[in-house]
Amino acid sequence: MSWKLPIFGGGQQQQAPSNIPDIPTQSWYPPSVLSSSSRLSAASSSSSVGGSQKTPDGPAPHGQPSPAGAAGIIARLKEKSVDELRKLLAEKESYNAFFNSLDQVKIQNNVRDELRKETLQLARENLEKEPCILELRNQCTVIRTTELAAAQEKLAELERQKEETLRSYSPAALLEKLHDAMNKVDEESEQLHMKLLEKEVDLPAFVQKYKKLRTTHHRRALLHLAANTSVC
């Protein structure tokens, strides 16, 4: 709290006797508060002489009470005697007791206590959840080092198989396979012809097999030619 209590006597306050000594300058009270009290006392005196004057409306400065709150504080100070006011300025304990008895201060202290309780409750809940968090973290570590590694390895193998499949069924690979199959049939027909010359097969069987092989060879050759033309 950084409020400064306005200290002054109202119109109903008795004038202090002339033999009462001034407040010692070595008081614990901050100089800024003393100077503020002097200014507020002068302002209150002038407003009392000039008649009833309305408190200006508007937001209070940062760290200062609102006009309504300040009026309540002033009303409480007016009820105190000169000795009580001097005691507030001279004794830190008295000032703190009066300060903590203000409604605005009580409200702020209650808010602070509630926030403190909520913060402590959240801290306790976080501490209670810490073992569960550690267990989940350990499980994540195990999954990352074992199951994740195995899954990544399997995925890499599937990717490799996919690439091989795509390469084996690409147009160029299919043309190459068709060309190899065409050459294979051509070699088989040549081998069958050599068997005929060596009389390892009779003529009727040779004609039947040879005709079938050459038909297959020419069919594949035409497909290879058509595929090359379409690719180009």
Side-chain angles (χ1 to χ4, degrees), residues 18-222:
S18 59
N19 58 352
I20 295 177
D22 295 335
I23 300 302
T25 58
Q26 300 299 325
S27 173
W28 68 272
Y29 212 85
S32 60
V33 177
L34 293 175
S35 61
S36 176
S37 301
S38 301
R39 291 193 299 268
L40 289 173
S41 299
S44 177
S45 299
S46 62
S47 62
S48 298
V49 174
S52 60
Q53 183 177 358
K54 293 184 179 180
T55 303
D57 297 331
H62 179 68
Q64 298 292 335
S66 63
I73 297 173
I74 293 171
R76 292 190 57 182
L77 290 173
K78 286 181 178 181
E79 298 173 355
K80 296 186 177 296
S81 64
V82 175
D83 292 336
E84 290 174 337
L85 295 175
R86 182 192 297 137
K87 189 176 181 180
L88 286 177
L89 291 175
E91 297 180 5
K92 186 175 182 179
E93 292 77 8
S94 299
Y95 171 80
N96 289 335
F98 175 76
F99 181 78
N100 291 324
S101 67
L102 298 176
D103 293 338
Q104 296 87 344
V105 177
K106 291 179 179 179
I107 293 173
Q108 294 298 325
N109 288 338
N110 291 334
V111 173
R112 179 198 61 191
D113 294 339
E114 290 296 328
L115 291 176
R116 182 181 298 171
K117 291 179 182 178
E118 292 179 3
T119 303
L120 291 175
Q121 182 64 25
L122 290 175
R124 292 190 187 97
E125 292 178 359
N126 290 336
L127 290 176
E128 292 175 356
K129 294 177 181 178
E130 186 174 3
C132 181
I133 294 174
L134 292 176
E135 178 64 22
L136 292 175
R137 186 176 298 171
N138 292 334
Q139 292 180 7
C140 292
T141 302
V142 172
I143 292 174
R144 188 182 299 111
T145 55
T146 58
E147 298 181 10
L148 180 61
Q152 288 178 340
E153 184 178 356
K154 185 176 181 180
L155 178 62
E157 177 64 21
L158 292 175
E159 290 288 343
R160 185 184 62 80
Q161 294 178 5
K162 183 189 74 172
E163 293 296 331
E164 291 180 356
T165 303
L166 291 177
R167 285 196 300 269
S168 63
Y169 287 97
S170 63
L174 293 175
L175 282 174
E176 185 177 358
K177 289 180 180 180
L178 183 60
H179 186 268
D180 293 340
M182 180 182 65
N183 291 335
K184 183 178 180 180
V185 172
D186 191 38
E187 290 175 1
E188 290 178 0
S189 63
E190 289 295 330
Q191 291 175 1
L192 183 62
H193 184 256
M194 293 298 299
K195 289 180 180 181
L196 177 64
L197 294 177
E198 294 174 358
K199 296 182 179 181
E200 294 179 2
V201 61
D202 55 358
L203 184 60
F206 167 77
V207 172
Q208 184 178 2
K209 291 181 179 180
Y210 191 80
K211 180 180 179 180
K212 184 177 180 181
L213 289 174
R214 298 314 297 177
T215 301
T216 303
H217 170 76
H218 290 300
R219 184 184 297 112
R220 292 177 179 176
L222 291 174

